[in-house]
Amino acid sequence: KDPVVRPLSPGGTEAADFRLQRLIGRERFKTYINTADMIRKAGKSLLIIVPDRLSMAYFKRAIPDLDIYHSSEKKSIRDQIWEKYATGEGGIIIGGLSALFLPIQNLAAIIVEQGNTLFTGRGQLSGDTDFKIIAKKRAEALGCQLIIGTPCLSIQQYKNQSEKASAVHFPETQPIEVIRIKRNEKDFFSQITHLVKGYHAENKRVLILLNRIKPKALLYCDKCKKNIRCEKCKRYLGLEKQTSGVCPHCQATIPSNCPRCSSHLSHLKFPSTDTLEQVFKEQVSDSQLLSISADESKDPVALEKSIHQHRIVISTPFIIGPYFYDMFDAVIYYRPESHFDMDSY
């Protein structure tokens, strides 16, 4: 059950000792910890780049005596770390993008955790620099090892592997059931409540993931089974936009009946963490329900304790990561494509 390791052949511009490894799967964390131990014993330095605070908290718990170089730390602490590694001392550093620019004199390896997530490849959407490119340039220039770890193959990597004769084989995983729920179906809440009730009756801890915190409702025709658009600007009309009687985008009058069939309009509620919390409190359990967002990630220890005290947890996708492995018996992930990260899904 070792992680898949795929070396990159050195090119003409790379330093002699440059090596790249891709670690895929959960076992990658053992490799990280072993690598940190070996580098520490050799008196050299290891740089770990992580996508979020929870990943940082996991490594802080798994690897002792880490130096955290992150914007959440005081400037005086960051300055001390900068001076420490600029003078040639060895150690283990963890951080985000800014840590990649530390003047580390004896860097033996760089680890980029979750290397196929949106965090490390934001250049595709926002124009920011891809973390992996910077990490690779540093590793090449210094002649050190670069380890890119991912929970799974990216969709493109999986496609490339499947087209080869020697495709990568993975150990068996937990079963995944994909249930198609059309956007216009009104019985979403009854379906997901039925699922949660089943897990709750079996005394299992279930995680429900959604990428929407606040509720949203659109004008909807039950007869046509379609959402209503503004006839002028063609944007969907929401419940919060109906109160003024005009479209907030173009000031066109909002219809009171369906433009297609003249039927009375209703409101189609889109699920959010807030609406699910209300539904589960009423229909499943109030005392066993916990709803969280990324704000709680500032204190992962307290959050972990709170999760252990509840059986139903509603969260945005920030919770995906190694810190909360083995804490849930089941995960319901609604519309993962809204997170722009199908690889993690």
CSV table of all heavy atoms in Angstrom, one decimal, residues 184-211:
chain,number,residue,atom,x,y,z
A,184,ASN,N,-33.8,21.9,-10.1
A,184,ASN,CA,-35.1,22.3,-10.0
A,184,ASN,C,-36.0,21.4,-9.1
A,184,ASN,O,-37.2,21.7,-8.9
A,184,ASN,CB,-35.8,22.5,-11.3
A,184,ASN,CG,-35.2,23.7,-12.1
A,184,ASN,OD1,-34.5,24.5,-11.5
A,184,ASN,ND2,-35.4,23.7,-13.4
A,185,GLU,N,-35.5,20.3,-8.6
A,185,GLU,CA,-36.3,19.5,-7.8
A,185,GLU,C,-36.5,20.0,-6.4
A,185,GLU,O,-35.5,20.4,-5.7
A,185,GLU,CB,-35.6,18.1,-7.7
A,185,GLU,CG,-35.7,17.3,-9.0
A,185,GLU,CD,-35.2,15.9,-8.9
A,185,GLU,OE1,-34.8,15.5,-7.8
A,185,GLU,OE2,-35.2,15.2,-9.9
A,186,LYS,N,-37.7,20.0,-5.9
A,186,LYS,CA,-38.0,20.6,-4.7
A,186,LYS,C,-37.8,19.7,-3.5
A,186,LYS,O,-37.9,20.0,-2.3
A,186,LYS,CB,-39.4,21.1,-4.7
A,186,LYS,CG,-39.6,22.5,-5.3
A,186,LYS,CD,-40.9,23.1,-5.0
A,186,LYS,CE,-40.9,24.6,-5.3
A,186,LYS,NZ,-42.1,25.3,-4.9
A,187,ASP,N,-37.7,18.4,-3.8
A,187,ASP,CA,-37.6,17.4,-2.7
A,187,ASP,C,-36.1,17.1,-2.3
A,187,ASP,O,-35.8,16.1,-1.7
A,187,ASP,CB,-38.2,16.1,-3.2
A,187,ASP,CG,-37.6,15.5,-4.4
A,187,ASP,OD1,-36.7,16.2,-5.0
A,187,ASP,OD2,-37.8,14.3,-4.7
A,188,PHE,N,-35.2,18.1,-2.6
A,188,PHE,CA,-33.8,17.9,-2.2
A,188,PHE,C,-33.7,17.7,-0.7
A,188,PHE,O,-33.1,16.8,-0.2
A,188,PHE,CB,-33.0,19.1,-2.6
A,188,PHE,CG,-31.7,19.1,-1.9
A,188,PHE,CD1,-30.6,18.3,-2.3
A,188,PHE,CD2,-31.5,20.0,-0.8
A,188,PHE,CE1,-29.4,18.4,-1.6
A,188,PHE,CE2,-30.3,20.0,-0.1
A,188,PHE,CZ,-29.2,19.2,-0.5
A,189,PHE,N,-34.4,18.6,0.1
A,189,PHE,CA,-34.3,18.5,1.5
A,189,PHE,C,-34.9,17.2,2.1
A,189,PHE,O,-34.3,16.7,3.1
A,189,PHE,CB,-35.1,19.7,2.2
A,189,PHE,CG,-34.4,21.0,1.9
A,189,PHE,CD1,-34.9,21.9,0.9
A,189,PHE,CD2,-33.3,21.4,2.6
A,189,PHE,CE1,-34.3,23.1,0.6
A,189,PHE,CE2,-32.6,22.6,2.3
A,189,PHE,CZ,-33.1,23.4,1.3
A,190,SER,N,-35.9,16.7,1.5
A,190,SER,CA,-36.4,15.4,2.0
A,190,SER,C,-35.5,14.3,1.7
A,190,SER,O,-35.3,13.4,2.5
A,190,SER,CB,-37.8,15.1,1.4
A,190,SER,OG,-37.7,15.0,0.0
A,191,GLN,N,-34.8,14.3,0.5
A,191,GLN,CA,-33.8,13.3,0.2
A,191,GLN,C,-32.6,13.3,1.1
A,191,GLN,O,-32.2,12.2,1.6
A,191,GLN,CB,-33.4,13.5,-1.3
A,191,GLN,CG,-34.4,13.2,-2.3
A,191,GLN,CD,-33.9,13.2,-3.7
A,191,GLN,OE1,-32.8,12.6,-4.0
A,191,GLN,NE2,-34.5,13.9,-4.6
A,192,ILE,N,-32.0,14.5,1.3
A,192,ILE,CA,-30.8,14.5,2.2
A,192,ILE,C,-31.2,14.3,3.6
A,192,ILE,O,-30.4,13.7,4.4
A,192,ILE,CB,-30.1,15.9,2.0
A,192,ILE,CG1,-28.7,15.7,2.5
A,192,ILE,CG2,-30.8,17.0,2.6
A,192,ILE,CD1,-27.8,16.9,2.0
A,193,THR,N,-32.4,14.7,4.1
A,193,THR,CA,-32.8,14.4,5.4
A,193,THR,C,-33.0,12.9,5.7
A,193,THR,O,-32.6,12.4,6.7
A,193,THR,CB,-34.1,15.2,5.7
A,193,THR,OG1,-33.9,16.6,5.6
A,193,THR,CG2,-34.6,14.9,7.2
A,194,HIS,N,-33.5,12.2,4.7
A,194,HIS,CA,-33.7,10.8,4.7
A,194,HIS,C,-32.3,10.1,4.9
A,194,HIS,O,-32.1,9.2,5.7
A,194,HIS,CB,-34.4,10.3,3.5
A,194,HIS,CG,-34.5,8.8,3.5
A,194,HIS,ND1,-35.4,8.1,4.3
A,194,HIS,CD2,-33.9,7.8,2.7
A,194,HIS,CE1,-35.3,6.8,4.0
A,194,HIS,NE2,-34.4,6.6,3.1
A,195,LEU,N,-31.3,10.6,4.2
A,195,LEU,CA,-30.0,10.0,4.3
A,195,LEU,C,-29.4,10.2,5.7
A,195,LEU,O,-28.8,9.3,6.3
A,195,LEU,CB,-29.0,10.6,3.2
A,195,LEU,CG,-29.2,10.2,1.8
A,195,LEU,CD1,-28.3,11.1,0.9
A,195,LEU,CD2,-28.8,8.8,1.6
A,196,VAL,N,-29.5,11.4,6.1
A,196,VAL,CA,-28.9,11.8,7.5
A,196,VAL,C,-29.6,11.0,8.6
A,196,VAL,O,-29.0,10.5,9.5
A,196,VAL,CB,-29.0,13.3,7.7
A,196,VAL,CG1,-28.6,13.7,9.1
A,196,VAL,CG2,-28.1,14.0,6.7
A,197,LYS,N,-30.9,10.9,8.5
A,197,LYS,CA,-31.7,10.1,9.5
A,197,LYS,C,-31.2,8.7,9.6
A,197,LYS,O,-31.1,8.1,10.7
A,197,LYS,CB,-33.2,10.1,9.2
A,197,LYS,CG,-33.9,11.4,9.6
A,197,LYS,CD,-35.4,11.3,9.3
A,197,LYS,CE,-36.2,12.5,9.8
A,197,LYS,NZ,-37.6,12.4,9.5
A,198,GLY,N,-30.9,8.1,8.4
A,198,GLY,CA,-30.4,6.7,8.4
A,198,GLY,C,-29.1,6.6,9.1
A,198,GLY,O,-28.9,5.7,9.9
A,199,TYR,N,-28.1,7.5,8.9
A,199,TYR,CA,-26.9,7.4,9.6
A,199,TYR,C,-27.0,7.7,11.1
A,199,TYR,O,-26.4,7.1,11.9
A,199,TYR,CB,-25.9,8.4,9.0
A,199,TYR,CG,-25.4,8.1,7.6
A,199,TYR,CD1,-25.6,8.9,6.5
A,199,TYR,CD2,-24.8,6.9,7.3
A,199,TYR,CE1,-25.2,8.6,5.2
A,199,TYR,CE2,-24.4,6.5,6.0
A,199,TYR,CZ,-24.6,7.4,5.0
A,199,TYR,OH,-24.2,7.1,3.7
A,200,HIS,N,-27.9,8.7,11.4
A,200,HIS,CA,-28.1,9.0,12.8
A,200,HIS,C,-28.7,7.9,13.6
A,200,HIS,O,-28.4,7.6,14.7
A,200,HIS,CB,-29.0,10.3,12.9
A,200,HIS,CG,-29.2,10.8,14.2
A,200,HIS,ND1,-28.1,11.3,15.0
A,200,HIS,CD2,-30.3,10.9,15.0
A,200,HIS,CE1,-28.6,11.7,16.1
A,200,HIS,NE2,-29.9,11.5,16.2
A,201,ALA,N,-29.6,7.1,12.9
A,201,ALA,CA,-30.3,6.0,13.6
A,201,ALA,C,-29.2,4.9,13.9
A,201,ALA,O,-29.4,4.1,14.9
A,201,ALA,CB,-31.4,5.4,12.7
A,202,GLU,N,-28.2,4.8,13.1
A,202,GLU,CA,-27.1,3.8,13.3
A,202,GLU,C,-26.0,4.4,14.2
A,202,GLU,O,-24.9,3.7,14.3
A,202,GLU,CB,-26.5,3.4,11.9
A,202,GLU,CG,-27.6,2.7,11.0
A,202,GLU,CD,-27.0,2.5,9.6
A,202,GLU,OE1,-25.8,2.9,9.4
A,202,GLU,OE2,-27.7,1.9,8.8
A,203,ASN,N,-26.2,5.6,14.7
A,203,ASN,CA,-25.2,6.2,15.7
A,203,ASN,C,-23.9,6.5,15.0
A,203,ASN,O,-22.8,6.3,15.6
A,203,ASN,CB,-25.0,5.3,16.9
A,203,ASN,CG,-24.5,6.1,18.1
A,203,ASN,OD1,-24.8,7.3,18.2
A,203,ASN,ND2,-23.6,5.5,18.9
A,204,LYS,N,-24.0,6.8,13.7
A,204,LYS,CA,-22.8,7.2,12.9
A,204,LYS,C,-22.6,8.7,12.8
A,204,LYS,O,-23.6,9.4,12.8
A,204,LYS,CB,-22.9,6.6,11.5
A,204,LYS,CG,-22.8,5.0,11.5
A,204,LYS,CD,-22.8,4.5,10.1
A,204,LYS,CE,-22.7,3.0,10.0
A,204,LYS,NZ,-22.7,2.5,8.7
A,205,ARG,N,-21.4,9.1,12.8
A,205,ARG,CA,-21.1,10.5,12.6
A,205,ARG,C,-21.0,10.8,11.1
A,205,ARG,O,-20.2,10.2,10.4
A,205,ARG,CB,-19.8,10.9,13.3
A,205,ARG,CG,-19.5,12.4,13.1
A,205,ARG,CD,-18.2,12.8,13.9
A,205,ARG,NE,-18.5,12.7,15.4
A,205,ARG,CZ,-17.9,11.8,16.1
A,205,ARG,NH1,-17.1,10.9,15.6
A,205,ARG,NH2,-18.2,11.8,17.4
A,206,VAL,N,-21.8,11.8,10.6
A,206,VAL,CA,-21.9,12.1,9.2
A,206,VAL,C,-21.5,13.5,9.0
A,206,VAL,O,-21.9,14.4,9.8
A,206,VAL,CB,-23.3,11.8,8.7
A,206,VAL,CG1,-24.4,12.6,9.4
A,206,VAL,CG2,-23.4,12.1,7.2
A,207,LEU,N,-20.8,13.8,7.9
A,207,LEU,CA,-20.4,15.1,7.5
A,207,LEU,C,-21.1,15.5,6.2
A,207,LEU,O,-21.1,14.7,5.2
A,207,LEU,CB,-18.9,15.1,7.2
A,207,LEU,CG,-18.3,16.4,6.6
A,207,LEU,CD1,-18.4,17.6,7.5
A,207,LEU,CD2,-16.8,16.2,6.2
A,208,ILE,N,-21.8,16.6,6.2
A,208,ILE,CA,-22.5,17.1,5.1
A,208,ILE,C,-21.7,18.4,4.6
A,208,ILE,O,-21.6,19.4,5.3
A,208,ILE,CB,-23.9,17.5,5.4
A,208,ILE,CG1,-24.7,16.3,5.9
A,208,ILE,CG2,-24.6,18.0,4.1
A,208,ILE,CD1,-24.8,16.3,7.4
A,209,LEU,N,-21.2,18.3,3.3
A,209,LEU,CA,-20.4,19.4,2.7
A,209,LEU,C,-21.3,20.2,1.7
A,209,LEU,O,-21.9,19.6,0.8
A,209,LEU,CB,-19.2,18.8,2.1
A,209,LEU,CG,-18.1,18.3,2.9
A,209,LEU,CD1,-17.1,17.6,2.1
A,209,LEU,CD2,-17.4,19.4,3.7
A,210,LEU,N,-21.3,21.5,1.9
A,210,LEU,CA,-21.9,22.4,0.9
A,210,LEU,C,-21.0,23.6,0.8
A,210,LEU,O,-20.3,24.0,1.7
A,210,LEU,CB,-23.3,22.9,1.3
A,210,LEU,CG,-24.4,21.8,1.4
A,210,LEU,CD1,-24.5,21.4,2.8
A,210,LEU,CD2,-25.7,22.5,1.0
A,211,ASN,N,-21.0,24.2,-0.4
A,211,ASN,CA,-20.1,25.4,-0.6
A,211,ASN,C,-21.0,26.7,-0.6
A,211,ASN,O,-20.7,27.6,-1.4
A,211,ASN,CB,-19.3,25.3,-1.9
A,211,ASN,CG,-18.1,26.3,-1.9
A,211,ASN,OD1,-17.6,26.5,-0.8
A,211,ASN,ND2,-17.8,26.8,-3.0
